[in-house]
Amino acid sequence: MTNTFIEPDGDRARAEVYFLAFHPHADNDRPELGIISGRYLDVLERRDGRWGIVRRVVVSDWTRNDLAGPEWERTTERAGYVGGRRGDRDQSYEFFA
């Protein structure tokens, strides 16, 4: 998920949330990488003190079906970027501690 806009109105709210999703798959026996960019248009409600989505519309803004390839060398740990980790070894755990 990327940009989020939420318009609250008491115990209800409307939200527009942009997303970018990657879906590795095999079509015609060769690896491919499906990419979709779009938006969720959500209606949310607060019930018993908890917020939840009560209605969602998925808007597809654009898609691609590109072949999988090697990682982009310039954006790796070898190039000086901090790499993501699963679980509590990820940088975000220390950042938010």
Side-chain angles (χ1 to χ4, degrees):
M1 291 196 232
T2 60
N3 298 2
T4 302
F5 175 75
I6 302 172
E7 186 176 69
D9 185 14
D11 287 336
R12 289 181 59 89
R14 292 183 300 169
E16 180 179 54
V17 179
Y18 284 76
F19 68 85
L20 185 59
F22 300 86
H23 298 276
H25 62 283
D27 279 349
N28 304 314
D29 294 323
R30 44 178 222 266
E32 298 193 10
L33 182 63
I35 306 168
I36 179 172
S37 179
R39 291 166 284 135
Y40 298 124
L41 301 178
D42 294 334
V43 175
L44 303 102
E45 286 185 1
R46 180 172 35 202
R47 298 178 184 169
D48 298 322
R50 296 183 62 170
W51 284 94
I53 298 168
V54 296
R55 187 176 54 122
R56 168 171 278 174
V57 173
V58 180
V59 177
S60 172
D61 287 325
W62 61 266
T63 64
R64 297 289 183 274
N65 197 32
D66 297 327
L67 292 173
E71 63 185 357
W72 188 13
E73 184 71 28
R74 275 193 270 173
T75 64
T76 65
E77 286 182 84
R78 292 182 302 281
Y81 280 76
V82 174
R85 304 278 187 272
R86 291 189 182 272
D88 60 5
R89 295 184 321 126
D90 190 80
Q91 282 281 290
S92 64
Y93 281 80
E94 181 181 330
F95 181 77
F96 286 106

Coordinates of all heavy atoms in Angstrom, one line a residue:
M1 N 0.8 -1.2 0.0 CA 0.0 0.0 0.0 C 0.9 1.2 0.0 O 2.0 1.2 0.6 CB -0.9 0.0 1.2 CG -1.9 -1.1 1.1 SD -3.2 -0.9 2.3 CE -3.2 -2.4 3.1
T2 N 0.4 2.3 -0.6 CA 1.2 3.5 -0.7 C 0.4 4.6 -0.1 O 0.1 4.7 1.0 CB 1.7 3.7 -2.2 OG1 0.5 3.9 -3.0 CG2 2.5 2.6 -2.7
N3 N 0.0 5.6 -0.9 CA -0.7 6.8 -0.4 C -2.1 6.4 0.1 O -2.8 5.6 -0.5 CB -0.9 7.8 -1.5 CG 0.4 8.3 -2.0 OD1 1.5 7.9 -1.6 ND2 0.4 9.2 -3.0
T4 N -2.5 7.1 1.2 CA -3.8 6.8 1.8 C -4.5 8.1 2.1 O -3.8 9.1 2.6 CB -3.6 6.1 3.2 OG1 -2.9 4.8 2.9 CG2 -4.9 5.8 3.8
F5 N -5.8 8.2 1.8 CA -6.6 9.4 2.1 C -7.8 8.9 2.9 O -8.5 8.0 2.4 CB -7.0 10.1 0.9 CG -8.0 11.3 1.2 CD1 -7.5 12.4 1.7 CD2 -9.3 11.1 0.9 CE1 -8.4 13.5 2.0 CE2 -10.2 12.1 1.2 CZ -9.7 13.3 1.7
I6 N -8.0 9.4 4.1 CA -9.2 8.9 4.9 C -10.0 10.1 5.3 O -9.5 11.2 5.7 CB -8.7 8.2 6.2 CG1 -7.8 7.0 5.8 CG2 -9.9 7.8 7.0 CD1 -7.1 6.4 7.0
E7 N -11.3 10.0 5.0 CA -12.2 11.1 5.3 C -13.2 10.6 6.4 O -14.2 9.9 6.1 CB -13.0 11.5 4.1 CG -13.9 12.7 4.3 CD -14.5 13.1 2.9 OE1 -15.4 12.3 2.5 OE2 -14.2 14.1 2.4
P8 N -12.9 10.9 7.7 CA -13.7 10.4 8.8 C -15.0 11.2 8.9 O -15.1 12.4 8.6 CB -12.9 10.6 10.1 CG -11.9 11.7 9.7 CD -11.7 11.6 8.2
D9 N -16.1 10.6 9.4 CA -17.4 11.2 9.7 C -18.0 10.4 10.8 O -18.8 9.5 10.6 CB -18.2 11.1 8.4 CG -19.6 11.9 8.6 OD1 -19.7 12.7 9.6 OD2 -20.4 11.7 7.7
G10 N -17.6 10.8 12.0 CA -18.2 10.1 13.2 C -17.7 8.6 13.3 O -16.5 8.4 13.3
D11 N -18.6 7.7 13.3 CA -18.2 6.3 13.4 C -18.1 5.6 12.0 O -18.0 4.4 11.9 CB -19.3 5.5 14.2 CG -19.1 5.8 15.7 OD1 -18.0 6.2 16.1 OD2 -20.1 5.6 16.4
R12 N -18.1 6.5 10.9 CA -18.0 6.0 9.6 C -16.8 6.8 8.9 O -16.5 7.9 9.3 CB -19.2 6.1 8.7 CG -20.4 5.2 9.2 CD -21.6 5.4 8.3 NE -21.4 5.2 6.9 CZ -21.5 4.0 6.3 NH1 -21.8 2.9 7.0 NH2 -21.3 3.9 5.0
A13 N -16.2 6.2 7.9 CA -15.2 6.9 7.2 C -15.1 6.3 5.8 O -15.5 5.2 5.5 CB -13.8 6.7 7.9
R14 N -14.6 7.1 4.9 CA -14.3 6.7 3.5 C -12.8 6.8 3.3 O -12.2 7.8 3.8 CB -15.1 7.6 2.5 CG -16.6 7.4 2.5 CD -17.3 8.2 1.5 NE -17.0 9.6 1.7 CZ -17.3 10.5 0.8 NH1 -17.9 10.2 -0.3 NH2 -17.1 11.8 1.1
A15 N -12.3 5.9 2.6 CA -10.8 5.9 2.4 C -10.5 5.5 0.9 O -11.2 4.7 0.3 CB -10.1 5.0 3.3
E16 N -9.4 6.1 0.4 CA -8.9 5.7 -0.9 C -7.4 5.4 -0.6 O -6.6 6.2 -0.1 CB -8.9 6.9 -1.9 CG -8.3 6.5 -3.2 CD -8.4 7.6 -4.2 OE1 -8.0 8.8 -3.9 OE2 -9.0 7.4 -5.3
V17 N -7.1 4.1 -0.9 CA -5.7 3.6 -0.6 C -5.1 3.1 -1.9 O -5.7 2.2 -2.5 CB -5.8 2.5 0.5 CG1 -4.4 1.9 0.8 CG2 -6.5 3.0 1.8
Y18 N -4.0 3.6 -2.2 CA -3.3 3.2 -3.4 C -2.5 1.9 -3.1 O -1.9 1.8 -2.0 CB -2.3 4.2 -4.0 CG -3.0 5.3 -4.7 CD1 -3.7 6.3 -4.0 CD2 -3.0 5.4 -6.1 CE1 -4.4 7.4 -4.6 CE2 -3.7 6.4 -6.7 CZ -4.4 7.4 -6.0 OH -5.0 8.4 -6.7
F19 N -2.4 1.0 -4.1 CA -1.6 -0.2 -3.8 C -0.7 -0.6 -5.1 O -1.1 -0.1 -6.2 CB -2.4 -1.4 -3.4 CG -3.3 -1.9 -4.5 CD1 -2.9 -2.8 -5.5 CD2 -4.6 -1.5 -4.6 CE1 -3.7 -3.3 -6.5 CE2 -5.5 -2.0 -5.6 CZ -5.0 -2.9 -6.5
L20 N 0.3 -1.3 -4.9 CA 1.1 -1.8 -5.9 C 1.4 -3.3 -5.5 O 2.0 -3.5 -4.5 CB 2.4 -1.0 -6.0 CG 3.4 -1.4 -7.1 CD1 2.7 -1.2 -8.5 CD2 4.6 -0.5 -7.0
A21 N 1.0 -4.2 -6.4 CA 1.1 -5.7 -6.0 C 1.9 -6.4 -7.1 O 1.8 -6.1 -8.3 CB -0.3 -6.3 -5.8
F22 N 2.7 -7.4 -6.7 CA 3.5 -8.2 -7.5 C 3.1 -9.6 -7.4 O 3.0 -10.1 -6.2 CB 5.0 -8.0 -7.2 CG 5.5 -6.6 -7.4 CD1 5.3 -5.7 -6.3 CD2 6.0 -6.2 -8.5 CE1 5.8 -4.4 -6.4 CE2 6.4 -4.8 -8.7 CZ 6.3 -4.0 -7.6
H23 N 2.8 -10.3 -8.5 CA 2.3 -11.7 -8.4 C 3.2 -12.6 -9.3 O 2.9 -12.7 -10.5 CB 0.9 -11.8 -8.8 CG 0.0 -11.0 -7.9 ND1 -0.5 -11.5 -6.8 CD2 -0.5 -9.7 -8.0 CE1 -1.3 -10.6 -6.2 NE2 -1.2 -9.5 -6.9
P24 N 4.2 -13.3 -8.8 CA 4.9 -14.2 -9.6 C 4.0 -15.4 -10.0 O 3.2 -15.9 -9.2 CB 6.1 -14.8 -8.7 CG 6.1 -13.8 -7.5 CD 4.7 -13.2 -7.4
H25 N 4.1 -15.8 -11.2 CA 3.3 -16.9 -11.7 C 3.9 -17.5 -12.9 O 4.9 -17.0 -13.5 CB 1.9 -16.4 -12.0 CG 1.8 -15.4 -13.1 ND1 2.2 -14.1 -12.9 CD2 1.5 -15.5 -14.4 CE1 2.0 -13.4 -14.0 NE2 1.6 -14.3 -15.0
A26 N 3.4 -18.7 -13.4 CA 3.9 -19.3 -14.6 C 2.8 -19.4 -15.6 O 1.8 -20.1 -15.3 CB 4.4 -20.7 -14.3
D27 N 2.9 -18.7 -16.7 CA 1.9 -18.8 -17.8 C 2.7 -19.4 -18.9 O 3.8 -19.1 -19.2 CB 1.4 -17.4 -18.2 CG 0.3 -16.9 -17.3 OD1 -0.2 -17.7 -16.5 OD2 -0.1 -15.7 -17.4
N28 N 2.1 -20.4 -19.6 CA 2.7 -21.1 -20.7 C 4.1 -21.7 -20.3 O 5.0 -21.6 -21.1 CB 2.8 -20.1 -21.9 CG 1.5 -19.5 -22.3 OD1 0.5 -20.2 -22.4 ND2 1.5 -18.2 -22.5
D29 N 4.1 -22.2 -19.1 CA 5.3 -22.9 -18.6 C 6.6 -22.0 -18.5 O 7.7 -22.5 -18.6 CB 5.6 -24.1 -19.5 CG 4.6 -25.2 -19.3 OD1 4.0 -25.3 -18.2 OD2 4.2 -25.8 -20.3
R30 N 6.4 -20.7 -18.4 CA 7.6 -19.9 -18.2 C 7.3 -18.9 -17.1 O 6.1 -18.4 -16.9 CB 8.1 -19.1 -19.4 CG 7.0 -18.6 -20.3 CD 7.6 -17.8 -21.5 NE 6.9 -16.6 -21.7 CZ 5.9 -16.5 -22.5 NH1 5.5 -17.5 -23.2 NH2 5.2 -15.3 -22.6
P31 N 8.3 -18.5 -16.2 CA 8.0 -17.6 -15.1 C 7.8 -16.2 -15.6 O 8.4 -15.7 -16.5 CB 9.3 -17.7 -14.3 CG 10.4 -18.1 -15.3 CD 9.7 -19.0 -16.3
E32 N 6.8 -15.6 -15.0 CA 6.4 -14.2 -15.3 C 6.1 -13.5 -14.0 O 5.9 -14.1 -12.9 CB 5.2 -14.2 -16.2 CG 5.5 -14.8 -17.6 CD 4.5 -14.5 -18.6 OE1 3.6 -13.7 -18.4 OE2 4.5 -15.2 -19.7
L33 N 6.1 -12.2 -14.0 CA 5.8 -11.4 -12.9 C 4.7 -10.4 -13.2 O 4.9 -9.4 -13.9 CB 7.0 -10.6 -12.4 CG 6.9 -9.8 -11.2 CD1 6.6 -10.6 -10.0 CD2 8.2 -9.0 -10.9
G34 N 3.5 -10.7 -12.7 CA 2.4 -9.8 -12.9 C 2.4 -8.7 -11.9 O 2.8 -8.8 -10.8
I35 N 2.2 -7.5 -12.4 CA 2.2 -6.3 -11.6 C 0.9 -5.5 -11.8 O 0.5 -5.4 -12.9 CB 3.4 -5.3 -12.0 CG1 4.7 -6.1 -12.0 CG2 3.5 -4.1 -11.1 CD1 5.9 -5.4 -12.7
I36 N 0.3 -5.1 -10.7 CA -0.9 -4.3 -10.8 C -0.8 -3.1 -9.8 O -0.3 -3.3 -8.7 CB -2.2 -5.2 -10.4 CG1 -3.4 -4.3 -10.5 CG2 -2.0 -5.9 -9.1 CD1 -4.7 -5.1 -10.3
S37 N -1.3 -2.0 -10.3 CA -1.3 -0.8 -9.5 C -2.8 -0.3 -9.5 O -3.4 -0.3 -10.6 CB -0.4 0.3 -10.1 OG -0.5 1.5 -9.3
G38 N -3.3 0.0 -8.4 CA -4.7 0.4 -8.3 C -5.0 1.1 -7.0 O -4.1 1.5 -6.2
R39 N -6.3 1.1 -6.7 CA -6.8 1.7 -5.5 C -7.9 0.9 -4.8 O -8.7 0.3 -5.5 CB -7.3 3.1 -5.8 CG -6.3 4.1 -6.2 CD -6.9 5.3 -6.8 NE -7.3 5.0 -8.2 CZ -8.4 5.4 -8.7 NH1 -9.3 6.1 -8.1 NH2 -8.7 5.1 -10.0
Y40 N -7.9 0.9 -3.5 CA -9.0 0.4 -2.8 C -9.9 1.6 -2.4 O -9.4 2.6 -1.9 CB -8.6 -0.2 -1.5 CG -7.7 -1.5 -1.6 CD1 -6.5 -1.5 -1.0 CD2 -8.1 -2.5 -2.4 CE1 -5.7 -2.6 -1.2 CE2 -7.3 -3.6 -2.6 CZ -6.1 -3.7 -1.9 OH -5.3 -4.8 -2.1
L41 N -11.2 1.6 -2.7 CA -12.2 2.6 -2.2 C -13.0 1.9 -1.1 O -13.8 1.0 -1.4 CB -13.1 3.0 -3.4 CG -12.3 3.6 -4.6 CD1 -13.3 4.0 -5.7 CD2 -11.5 4.9 -4.1
D42 N -12.7 2.2 0.1 CA -13.2 1.6 1.3 C -14.2 2.4 2.0 O -14.1 3.6 2.2 CB -12.1 1.2 2.3 CG -11.2 0.1 1.7 OD1 -11.6 -0.6 0.8 OD2 -10.0 0.1 2.2
V43 N -15.3 1.8 2.5 CA -16.2 2.3 3.5 C -15.8 1.6 4.8 O -15.8 0.4 4.9 CB -17.6 2.1 3.2 CG1 -18.5 2.7 4.3 CG2 -18.0 2.8 1.9
L44 N -15.5 2.4 5.9 CA -15.2 1.8 7.2 C -16.2 2.2 8.2 O -16.8 3.3 8.1 CB -13.8 2.3 7.6 CG -12.6 2.0 6.6 CD1 -12.3 3.3 5.8 CD2 -11.4 1.5 7.3
E45 N -16.3 1.4 9.2 CA -17.2 1.7 10.4 C -16.5 1.3 11.7 O -15.7 0.3 11.7 CB -18.5 0.9 10.3 CG -19.5 1.5 9.2 CD -20.8 0.7 9.2 OE1 -21.0 -0.2 10.1 OE2 -21.6 1.1 8.4
R46 N -16.8 2.1 12.7 CA -16.3 1.7 14.0 C -17.4 1.0 14.8 O -18.5 1.6 14.9 CB -15.9 3.0 14.8 CG -15.4 2.7 16.2 CD -14.8 3.8 16.9 NE -15.4 5.1 16.6 CZ -14.8 6.3 16.7 NH1 -13.6 6.4 17.2 NH2 -15.5 7.4 16.5
R47 N -17.2 -0.2 15.2 CA -18.2 -1.0 15.9 C -17.5 -1.5 17.2 O -16.4 -2.1 17.1 CB -18.7 -2.1 15.1 CG -19.4 -1.7 13.8 CD -19.8 -2.9 13.0 NE -20.4 -2.5 11.8 CZ -20.7 -3.3 10.8 NH1 -20.5 -4.6 10.9 NH2 -21.3 -2.9 9.7
D48 N -18.1 -1.3 18.3 CA -17.6 -1.7 19.6 C -16.1 -1.2 19.8 O -15.3 -1.9 20.3 CB -17.6 -3.2 19.8 CG -19.1 -3.7 19.8 OD1 -19.9 -3.1 20.3 OD2 -19.3 -4.8 19.2
G49 N -15.9 0.0 19.3 CA -14.5 0.6 19.5 C -13.5 0.2 18.5 O -12.3 0.6 18.6
R50 N -13.8 -0.7 17.5 CA -12.9 -1.2 16.6 C -13.3 -0.8 15.1 O -14.5 -0.9 14.8 CB -12.8 -2.7 16.6 CG -12.2 -3.1 18.0 CD -12.0 -4.6 18.0 NE -11.0 -5.0 17.0 CZ -10.5 -6.2 16.9 NH1 -10.9 -7.1 17.7 NH2 -9.7 -6.4 15.9
W51 N -12.3 -0.3 14.3 CA -12.6 0.1 13.0 C -12.4 -1.2 12.1 O -11.6 -2.0 12.3 CB -11.6 1.1 12.5 CG -12.0 2.5 13.1 CD1 -11.5 3.1 14.2 CD2 -12.9 3.4 12.5 NE1 -12.0 4.3 14.4 CE2 -12.9 4.5 13.3 CE3 -13.7 3.4 11.4 CZ2 -13.7 5.7 13.1 CZ3 -14.5 4.5 11.1 CH2 -14.5 5.6 12.0
G52 N -13.3 -1.2 11.1 CA -13.2 -2.3 10.1 C -13.8 -1.9 8.7 O -14.6 -0.9 8.7
I53 N -13.4 -2.6 7.7 CA -13.9 -2.3 6.4 C -15.2 -3.0 6.2 O -15.3 -4.2 6.4 CB -12.9 -2.8 5.3 CG1 -11.6 -2.1 5.4 CG2 -13.5 -2.6 3.9 CD1 -10.4 -2.7 4.6
V54 N -16.2 -2.2 5.8 CA -17.6 -2.8 5.5 C -17.9 -3.0 4.1 O -18.8 -3.7 3.7 CB -18.7 -2.1 6.3 CG1 -18.5 -2.2 7.8 CG2 -18.8 -0.6 5.8
R55 N -17.2 -2.2 3.2 CA -17.3 -2.3 1.8 C -16.1 -1.9 1.1 O -15.4 -1.0 1.5 CB -18.5 -1.5 1.3 CG -18.8 -1.7 -0.2 CD -20.0 -0.8 -0.6 NE -19.8 0.5 -0.2 CZ -19.8 1.6 -1.1 NH1 -20.1 1.3 -2.3 NH2 -19.6 2.8 -0.7
R56 N -15.7 -2.7 0.1 CA -14.5 -2.3 -0.7 C -14.7 -2.5 -2.2 O -15.3 -3.5 -2.6 CB -13.3 -3.3 -0.3 CG -12.1 -3.2 -1.2 CD -10.9 -3.9 -0.6 NE -10.2 -3.0 0.3 CZ -9.2 -3.4 1.1 NH1 -8.8 -4.6 1.1 NH2 -8.7 -2.5 1.9
V57 N -14.2 -1.5 -2.9 CA -14.2 -1.6 -4.4 C -12.7 -1.5 -4.8 O -12.0 -0.7 -4.3 CB -15.0 -0.4 -5.0 CG1 -14.8 -0.4 -6.5 CG2 -16.5 -0.5 -4.7
V58 N -12.3 -2.5 -5.6 CA -10.9 -2.5 -6.1 C -10.9 -1.9 -7.5 O -11.6 -2.3 -8.4 CB -10.3 -3.9 -6.1 CG1 -8.9 -3.9 -6.6 CG2 -10.4 -4.5 -4.7
V59 N -10.1 -0.8 -7.7 CA -10.0 -0.1 -8.9 C -8.6 -0.5 -9.5 O -7.6 -0.3 -8.9 CB -10.1 1.4 -8.8 CG1 -9.8 2.1 -10.1 CG2 -11.4 1.8 -8.1
S60 N -8.5 -1.0 -10.7 CA -7.3 -1.4 -11.4 C -6.9 -0.2 -12.3 O -7.6 0.1 -13.2 CB -7.5 -2.6 -12.3 OG -6.3 -2.8 -13.0
D61 N -5.8 0.5 -11.9 CA -5.3 1.6 -12.7 C -4.4 1.2 -13.8 O -4.5 1.8 -14.9 CB -4.6 2.6 -11.8 CG -5.6 3.4 -10.9 OD1 -6.7 3.7 -11.4 OD2 -5.2 3.7 -9.8
W62 N -3.5 0.3 -13.6 CA -2.7 -0.3 -14.7 C -2.1 -1.6 -14.3 O -2.0 -1.9 -13.1 CB -1.6 0.7 -15.1 CG -0.6 1.1 -14.1 CD1 -0.6 2.2 -13.3 CD2 0.6 0.4 -13.7 NE1 0.4 2.2 -12.4 CE2 1.2 1.1 -12.7 CE3 1.2 -0.8 -14.2 CZ2 2.4 0.7 -12.1 CZ3 2.4 -1.2 -13.6 CH2 3.0 -0.4 -12.6
T63 N -1.7 -2.4 -15.3 CA -1.1 -3.7 -15.0 C 0.0 -4.0 -16.1 O 0.0 -3.4 -17.1 CB -2.2 -4.9 -15.1 OG1 -2.6 -5.0 -16.5 CG2 -3.3 -4.7 -14.2
R64 N 0.9 -4.9 -15.7 CA 1.9 -5.3 -16.6 C 2.1 -6.8 -16.3 O 1.9 -7.3 -15.2 CB 3.3 -4.6 -16.4 CG 3.2 -3.1 -16.6 CD 3.1 -2.8 -18.1 NE 3.1 -1.4 -18.3 CZ 2.0 -0.6 -18.3 NH1 0.9 -1.1 -18.0 NH2 2.1 0.7 -18.5
N65 N 2.6 -7.5 -17.3 CA 3.0 -8.9 -17.2 C 4.4 -9.1 -17.7 O 4.7 -9.3 -18.9 CB 2.1 -9.8 -17.9 CG 2.2 -11.3 -17.5 OD1 2.5 -11.5 -16.3 ND2 2.0 -12.2 -18.4
D66 N 5.4 -8.8 -16.8 CA 6.8 -8.8 -17.2 C 7.5 -10.0 -16.7 O 7.2 -10.6 -15.7 CB 7.5 -7.6 -16.5 CG 7.0 -6.2 -17.0 OD1 6.6 -6.1 -18.2 OD2 7.0 -5.3 -16.2
L67 N 8.5 -10.4 -17.5 CA 9.3 -11.6 -17.1 C 10.1 -11.2 -15.9 O 10.6 -10.1 -15.7 CB 10.3 -12.0 -18.2 CG 9.7 -12.5 -19.5 CD1 10.7 -12.7 -20.6 CD2 9.0 -13.9 -19.2
A68 N 10.3 -12.2 -15.0 CA 11.1 -12.1 -13.8 C 12.6 -11.9 -14.2 O 13.0 -12.5 -15.2 CB 11.0 -13.3 -12.9
G69 N 13.3 -11.1 -13.5 CA 14.7 -10.9 -13.9 C 15.6 -10.8 -12.6 O 15.1 -11.0 -11.5
P70 N 16.8 -10.5 -12.8 CA 17.7 -10.4 -11.6 C 17.4 -9.1 -10.8 O 16.7 -8.2 -11.3 CB 19.1 -10.3 -12.2 CG 18.9 -9.7 -13.6 CD 17.5 -10.3 -14.0
E71 N 17.8 -9.1 -9.6 CA 17.6 -8.0 -8.7 C 18.3 -6.8 -9.3 O 19.3 -6.9 -10.0 CB 18.0 -8.2 -7.3 CG 19.4 -8.5 -7.1 CD 19.7 -8.9 -5.6 OE1 18.8 -8.9 -4.8 OE2 20.9 -9.2 -5.3
W72 N 17.8 -5.6 -9.0 CA 18.4 -4.3 -9.4 C 19.6 -4.0 -8.5 O 19.4 -3.6 -7.4 CB 17.4 -3.2 -9.4 CG 17.8 -1.9 -9.9 CD1 18.8 -1.7 -10.7 CD2 17.1 -0.7 -9.8 NE1 18.9 -0.4 -11.1 CE2 17.8 0.3 -10.5 CE3 15.9 -0.3 -9.1 CZ2 17.4 1.6 -10.6 CZ3 15.6 1.0 -9.1 CH2 16.3 2.0 -9.9
E73 N 20.8 -4.3 -9.0 CA 22.0 -4.2 -8.2 C 22.2 -2.9 -7.4 O 22.6 -2.9 -6.3 CB 23.2 -4.5 -9.1 CG 24.5 -4.5 -8.4 CD 24.7 -5.8 -7.6 OE1 24.1 -6.8 -7.9 OE2 25.5 -5.7 -6.6
R74 N 21.8 -1.8 -8.0 CA 22.0 -0.5 -7.4 C 21.2 -0.3 -6.1 O 21.4 0.6 -5.3 CB 21.7 0.6 -8.3 CG 22.8 1.0 -9.2 CD 22.5 2.3 -9.9 NE 21.8 2.0 -11.2 CZ 21.3 2.9 -11.9 NH1 21.3 4.2 -11.6 NH2 20.7 2.6 -13.1
T75 N 20.2 -1.2 -5.9 CA 19.3 -1.0 -4.7 C 19.4 -2.1 -3.7 O 18.5 -2.3 -2.9 CB 17.8 -0.9 -5.2 OG1 17.4 -2.1 -5.8 CG2 17.6 0.3 -6.2
T76 N 20.5 -2.8 -3.7 CA 20.7 -3.9 -2.8 C 21.6 -3.5 -1.6 O 22.2 -2.4 -1.6 CB 21.4 -5.1 -3.5 OG1 22.7 -4.7 -3.9 CG2 20.6 -5.5 -4.7
E77 N 21.7 -4.4 -0.7 CA 22.6 -4.2 0.5 C 24.1 -4.0 0.0 O 24.8 -3.2 0.6 CB 22.5 -5.4 1.5 CG 21.3 -5.4 2.3 CD 21.2 -6.5 3.3 OE1 21.8 -6.3 4.4 OE2 20.7 -7.5 3.0
R78 N 24.5 -4.7 -1.1 CA 25.8 -4.6 -1.6 C 26.1 -3.2 -2.0 O 27.2 -2.7 -2.1 CB 26.0 -5.6 -2.7 CG 26.1 -7.0 -2.3 CD 26.3 -8.0 -3.4 NE 25.4 -7.9 -4.5 CZ 24.2 -8.5 -4.5 NH1 23.7 -9.1 -3.4 NH2 23.4 -8.4 -5.5
A79 N 25.0 -2.4 -2.4 CA 25.2 -1.0 -2.8 C 25.0 0.0 -1.7 O 25.0 1.2 -1.9 CB 24.2 -0.8 -4.0
G80 N 24.8 -0.5 -0.5 CA 24.7 0.4 0.7 C 23.3 0.5 1.2 O 23.1 1.2 2.2
Y81 N 22.3 -0.1 0.6 CA 20.9 0.0 1.2 C 20.8 -0.9 2.4 O 21.5 -2.0 2.5 CB 19.9 -0.4 0.1 CG 19.6 0.7 -0.8 CD1 20.5 1.0 -1.9 CD2 18.4 1.4 -0.7 CE1 20.2 2.0 -2.8 CE2 18.1 2.4 -1.6 CZ 19.0 2.7 -2.6 OH 18.7 3.7 -3.5
V82 N 19.9 -0.6 3.3 CA 19.6 -1.5 4.4 C 18.6 -2.5 3.9 O 17.6 -2.2 3.3 CB 19.0 -0.7 5.6 CG1 18.5 -1.7 6.7 CG2 19.9 0.3 6.1
G83 N 18.9 -3.8 4.1 CA 18.0 -4.9 3.6 C 16.9 -5.2 4.6 O 17.1 -5.1 5.8
G84 N 15.8 -5.5 4.1 CA 14.7 -6.0 4.9 C 14.9 -7.4 5.4 O 15.5 -8.2 4.8
R85 N 14.3 -7.7 6.6 CA 14.4 -9.0 7.2 C 13.1 -9.4 7.7 O 12.2 -8.5 8.0 CB 15.4 -9.0 8.4 CG 16.8 -8.5 8.1 CD 17.6 -9.6 7.5 NE 19.0 -9.3 7.4 CZ 19.5 -8.7 6.3 NH1 18.8 -8.3 5.3 NH2 20.8 -8.4 6.2
R86 N 12.8 -10.7 7.8 CA 11.6 -11.1 8.4 C 11.7 -11.1 9.9 O 12.7 -11.4 10.5 CB 11.3 -12.6 7.9 CG 10.9 -12.6 6.5 CD 10.4 -14.0 6.2 NE 10.1 -14.2 4.8 CZ 8.9 -13.9 4.2 NH1 7.9 -13.4 5.0 NH2 8.7 -14.0 2.9
G87 N 10.6 -10.8 10.6 CA 10.5 -10.8 12.0 C 11.3 -9.7 12.7 O 11.5 -8.6 12.1
D88 N 11.7 -10.0 13.9 CA 12.3 -8.9 14.8 C 13.7 -8.6 14.4 O 14.4 -7.7 15.0 CB 12.2 -9.2 16.2 CG 12.9 -10.5 16.6 OD1 13.6 -11.1 15.7 OD2 12.8 -10.9 17.8
R89 N 14.3 -9.2 13.3 CA 15.6 -8.8 12.8 C 15.5 -7.6 11.9 O 16.5 -7.0 11.5 CB 16.3 -10.0 12.2 CG 16.6 -11.1 13.1 CD 17.4 -12.3 12.5 NE 17.0 -12.6 11.2 CZ 17.8 -12.6 10.1 NH1 19.1 -12.4 10.3 NH2 17.3 -12.9 8.9
D90 N 14.3 -7.2 11.5 CA 14.1 -6.1 10.6 C 14.4 -4.8 11.3 O 14.2 -4.6 12.5 CB 12.7 -6.1 10.0 CG 12.6 -5.1 8.9 OD1 12.9 -5.4 7.8 OD2 12.1 -3.9 9.2
Q91 N 14.9 -3.8 10.5 CA 15.3 -2.5 11.1 C 14.1 -1.8 11.7 O 14.3 -1.0 12.6 CB 15.9 -1.6 9.9 CG 17.3 -1.9 9.6 CD 18.2 -1.3 10.6 OE1 18.4 -0.1 10.6 NE2 18.9 -2.1 11.4
S92 N 12.9 -2.0 11.3 CA 11.8 -1.3 11.9 C 11.6 -1.6 13.3 O 11.0 -0.8 14.1 CB 10.5 -1.6 11.1 OG 10.1 -3.0 11.2
Y93 N 12.0 -2.8 13.8 CA 11.8 -3.1 15.2 C 12.6 -2.2 16.1 O 12.2 -1.7 17.1 CB 12.2 -4.6 15.5 CG 11.0 -5.5 15.1 CD1 10.8 -5.9 13.8 CD2 10.2 -6.1 16.1 CE1 9.8 -6.7 13.4 CE2 9.2 -6.9 15.7 CZ 9.0 -7.2 14.4 OH 7.9 -8.1 14.0
E94 N 13.9 -2.0 15.7 CA 14.7 -1.1 16.4 C 14.3 0.4 16.3 O 14.2 1.1 17.2 CB 16.2 -1.2 16.0 CG 17.1 -0.3 16.7 CD 18.6 -0.4 16.2 OE1 18.9 -1.5 15.7 OE2 19.3 0.6 16.3
F95 N 13.8 0.7 15.1 CA 13.4 2.1 14.8 C 12.2 2.5 15.7 O 12.2 3.6 16.2 CB 13.0 2.2 13.3 CG 12.6 3.6 12.9 CD1 13.5 4.6 12.7 CD2 11.2 3.8 12.7 CE1 13.1 5.8 12.3 CE2 10.8 5.1 12.3 CZ 11.7 6.1 12.1
F96 N 11.2 1.6 15.9 CA 10.0 1.9 16.6 C 10.1 1.5 18.1 O 9.2 1.7 18.9 CB 8.8 1.3 16.0 CG 8.4 1.9 14.7 CD1 8.6 1.3 13.5 CD2 7.7 3.2 14.8 CE1 8.2 1.9 12.3 CE2 7.3 3.8 13.6 CZ 7.6 3.2 12.4
A97 N 11.3 1.0 18.5 CA 11.5 0.6 19.9 C 11.5 1.8 20.9 O 11.8 2.9 20.6 CB 12.7 -0.2 20.1

